[in-house]
Amino acid sequence: MNTKAIYAACLFAALNICTLSARAEADVSARTYSYGTHLDIKKVVSLTQDTTNACGIVDAQLTYLDSQNKTQVLDYRKIADCNEDN
């Protein structure tokens, strides 16, 4: 068998695996935090917040892996990260 064909087959297999894992993460639906919600956080993947210039309460989102390495998304509200010169 030709080595180029073997390399192409390996690359194709790797791309398929990456595509499947990306598709699985895209199917995760966010849940909204409420007081008392049990959080099973093993590793934080990302933290984001609305990109407004206002200080105060904004919408934010936490993406994390739980103890079973499943991606979870949590919507919550927080005080904005802002710099005020007072």
Side-chain angles (χ1 to χ4, degrees), residues 18-29:
C18 292
T19 302
L20 289 175
S21 66
R23 184 177 296 158
E25 288 183 15
D27 292 338
V28 174
S29 60

Side-chain angles (χ1 to χ4, degrees), residues 4 11 14 17-18 21-22 28 41 45 62 65-66 68 74 83:
K4 287 184 181 180
L11 179 61
I17 290 170
C18 292
S21 66
V28 174
I41 300 173
V45 176
L62 166 68
L65 297 176
D66 64 14
Q68 297 173 352
L74 184 70
N83 295 325

Side-chain angles (χ1 to χ4, degrees), residues 2 7 14 20 22-25 29-30 38 43 46 48 52 57 60 63-64 68-69 71 75 79 82:
N2 188 348
Y7 291 141
L20 289 175
R23 184 177 296 158
E25 288 183 15
S29 60
H38 173 70
K43 180 180 179 183
S46 68
T48 58
T52 60
I57 304 213
T63 304
Y64 64 94
Q68 297 173 352
N69 288 324
T71 302
D75 291 331
I79 297 176
C82 58

Side-chain angles (χ1 to χ4, degrees), residues 5-64:
I6 293 172
Y7 291 141
C10 290
L11 179 61
F12 182 71
L15 289 174
N16 279 335
I17 290 170
C18 292
T19 302
L20 289 175
S21 66
R23 184 177 296 158
E25 288 183 15
D27 292 338
V28 174
S29 60
R31 63 181 183 153
T32 303
Y33 177 81
S34 62
Y35 183 77
T37 299
H38 173 70
L39 299 177
D40 178 18
I41 300 173
K42 180 178 179 181
K43 180 180 179 183
V44 173
V45 176
S46 68
L47 293 167
T48 58
Q49 74 177 27
D50 284 346
T51 55
T52 60
N53 292 332
C55 290
I57 304 213
V58 295
D59 293 322
Q61 193 170 66
L62 166 68
T63 304
Y64 64 94

